[in-house]
Amino acid sequence: MTAEKEASAPEDAPLTVLLVHNFYQHPGGEDRVFEVEGEMLEQRGHRVLRYTLRNEEVDEMNRVALAARTVWSRDAYREVLEIVEREGVDVVHVHNTLPLASPSVYHAAQDGGAAVVQTLHNFRFICPGALLLRDGELCHDCVGKSVATPAIQHKCYRGSTAATAAVVATTAIHKAAGTYASKVDRYIALSDFARGLFIEGGLPADQIAVKPNALQDDPVQGPGGEYALFAGRLGKGKGIQVLLDAWSMDPDLPHLKIAGDGELSHLVTEAASGDPRIEWLGWCNGDEMAQLMREAAVLVTPSMWYEGWPLVAIEAMGLGTPVVATNHGVFPEMIIDGVTGSLVPRGDAGALGQAVRRLLSDPEMLKEIRHATWELYRERFTREINYLQLRRIYADAIARRNGEPTPLPSPEAARPLFVPAAGHARSSPPVPVDW
């Protein structure tokens, strides 16, 4: 390690950052965050390298070889170590290791002298299925267990006993070996809610920072409109049936546009054929989706599972479009009930419909809510704020790697609480974002 790396660098000093990501077979939000954060760092003068693997290789491997590599990849260790040493990497920021990268990349980064940061995009560390959802119901059976045996029993990863056992074994082995406590300098949880679950699951509290995901660009406030919008994958856990039930129960709800596709598209097709208020748009590209959100009166996200940090919701907020969402998981940290949107009980179609009608019942109130939503985004969630959070996390990780642990700041010191628009009182203060 060079003398320069032995001392903590100033927080505004350019860094060499190696981003590590194992792409899934189907593109998703983690892939997008990997790309967005890399570009954000490059735009601010940092040198960004990328080490990526793709799960297409899995199809060519037998089960024994894949299980062994899931626990420890000699190739990934060797290749990451070589990059870190050759390029003088300051921080190795890992997004996903499953299954081809493996936790061996943490060891390689540390052996090469770099600090290690891991973003916890999902709940894989405490739930082999990653979603804390089983058979449509929330499930915490494996949280806090040293070995997640219920997951094996229920085949929670890819519906396979063998594949689930490999994931469970990987986590259990590296927990027992101290990998997660000693080889990672900072974890990034996407919300305080998630941070609490990871602490319950065994990760060290003083190593978990909270930073949400950033958007590609900061949106510009939109004009709004008269229709409700659902935007996202039409899959299990997204509350599609709850959404459709709400419109079926209430003839006074407005036009509903559904943008997205997935395995539950047949439910949307059936509902749209019998209700002229419901319009299915299919899959929309980024520009089309932004325009839909800009012109919507409200975004509806009745998720049945715990979302990580739904980019569609934060993008809507950046456009000034309020969000009606399930009152659990991350949403109470994103939305101030009655000020920037509404929070409703999980699975309650009647409450969902009432919340939408209430928001649209008073045009002047809706105008104030749109402005408050946009202001909250500007105070909490812009790319500049997100970058400063990430840079602080990197500085803390480097300090810890150099033997200078720095405690996380208290949540109260993170940012000033958002002040709601005149005439509105929030039911409870939003949870501040850790820096």
Side-chain angles (χ1 to χ4, degrees):
M1 184 184 299
T2 65
E4 289 78 10
K5 290 181 68 175
E6 290 177 357
S8 296
E11 288 187 24
D12 59 350
L15 300 175
T16 296
V17 180
L18 174 63
L19 302 180
V20 176
H21 186 45
N22 194 140
F23 285 90
Y24 298 103
Q25 290 182 329
H26 303 289
E30 294 181 29
D31 304 335
R32 184 179 174 190
V33 173
F34 170 77
E35 295 166 356
V36 166
E37 289 192 350
E39 293 170 359
M40 185 167 68
L41 289 166
E42 288 173 329
Q43 289 169 359
R44 285 158 177 81
H46 300 285
R47 181 174 174 238
V48 178
L49 310 173
R50 295 165 176 82
Y51 177 80
T52 61
L53 296 164
R54 296 184 178 276
N55 276 1
E56 285 80 358
E57 300 175 38
V58 170
D59 297 333
E60 302 174 4
M61 302 176 65
N62 64 51
R63 289 184 177 182
V64 175
L66 178 59
R69 182 161 180 173
T70 300
V71 176
W72 183 271
S73 171
R74 289 178 294 178
D75 291 342
Y77 175 87
R78 183 184 68 253
E79 291 163 1
V80 168
L81 177 61
E82 179 184 349
I83 295 170
V84 170
E85 292 183 332
R86 184 183 69 239
E87 303 294 341
V89 172
D90 298 293
V91 177
V92 174
H93 185 166
V94 183
H95 286 267
N96 176 44
T97 65
L98 187 72
L100 300 176
S102 85
S104 68
V105 298
Y106 306 145
H107 292 259
Q110 188 181 85
D111 291 349
V116 182
V117 174
Q118 168 72 63
T119 296
L120 300 164
H121 288 285
N122 54 47
F123 297 105
R124 185 84 64 195
F125 178 81
I126 55 177
C127 168
L131 301 175
L132 292 171
L133 189 79
R134 177 163 53 84
D135 298 329
E137 297 299 326
L138 297 174
C139 175
H140 290 222
D141 288 355
C142 295
V143 178
K145 292 189 182 303
S146 56
V147 181
T149 51
I152 300 174
Q153 176 187 351
H154 296 287
K155 306 178 183 179
C156 291
Y157 180 65
R158 296 195 172 193
S160 165
T161 300
T164 304
V167 174
V168 170
T170 298
T171 304
I173 289 169
H174 286 282
K175 275 185 180 179
T179 297
Y180 300 118
S182 65
K183 301 300 180 181
V184 179
D185 299 295
R186 276 290 184 268
Y187 291 94
I188 298 176
L190 303 184
S191 66
D192 278 299
F193 169 78
R195 182 175 185 268
L197 284 175
F198 287 121
I199 292 170
E200 184 182 347
L203 289 182
D206 63 352
Q207 289 172 228
I208 310 175
V210 176
K211 184 193 79 66
N213 294 328
L215 296 177
Q216 182 79 43
D217 298 292
D218 287 326
V220 177
Q221 187 175 13
E226 298 180 352
Y227 60 83
L229 174 68
F230 174 92
R233 189 169 61 84
L234 305 182
K236 297 177 181 178
K238 290 293 187 179
I240 303 300
Q241 189 63 65
V242 177
L243 176 73
L244 298 176
D245 286 347
W247 258 255
S248 174
M249 293 165 55
D250 191 338
D252 295 326
L253 286 176
H255 190 78
L256 171 65
K257 295 188 179 185
I258 298 177
D261 205 350
E263 63 267 30
L264 299 183
S265 61
H266 65 283
L267 297 179
V268 178
T269 301
E270 182 179 348
S273 67
D275 189 337
R277 296 174 302 164
I278 299 176
E279 180 183 2
W280 180 36
L281 304 175
W283 188 256
C284 301
N285 63 35
D287 291 340
E288 293 169 337
M289 195 74 82
Q291 188 65 23
L292 285 167
M293 285 192 285
R294 186 176 293 110
E295 296 177 352
V298 60
L299 179 77
V300 187
T301 56
S303 300
M304 299 295 285
W305 59 22
Y306 300 132
E307 299 279 2
W309 185 261
L311 290 175
V312 67
I314 202 65
E315 184 171 1
M317 292 173 62
L319 293 163
T321 300
V323 181
V324 174
T326 308
N327 189 17
H328 72 174
V330 68
F331 287 119
E333 297 178 42
M334 301 177 73
I335 299 162
I336 304 174
D337 192 24
V339 177
T340 66
S342 294
L343 298 169
V344 300
R346 178 180 184 270
D348 192 330
L352 183 71
Q354 290 173 11
V356 172
R357 278 197 289 108
R358 189 163 52 246
L359 279 174
L360 273 63
S361 64
D362 185 339
E364 285 303 313
M365 181 187 71
L366 181 58
K367 184 178 179 180
E368 289 184 15
I369 288 175
R370 291 190 65 85
H371 184 72
T373 301
W374 180 68
E375 285 286 351
L376 178 59
Y377 176 87
R378 293 204 311 159
E379 285 203 12
R380 294 268 187 92
F381 306 123
T382 64
R383 281 172 60 84
E384 181 62 22
I385 290 171
N386 199 280
Y387 166 72
L388 292 174
Q389 290 173 320
L390 182 60
R391 189 63 185 86
R392 171 65 63 84
I393 290 166
Y394 284 176
D396 288 348
I398 291 171
R400 184 178 187 274
R401 176 54 55 224
N402 292 335
E404 306 167 8
T406 56
L408 291 172
S410 65
E412 291 76 13
R415 284 188 60 77
L417 289 178
F418 174 72
V419 179
H424 291 289
R426 57 173 175 243
S427 57
S428 60
V431 181
V433 178
D434 269 339
W435 284 81

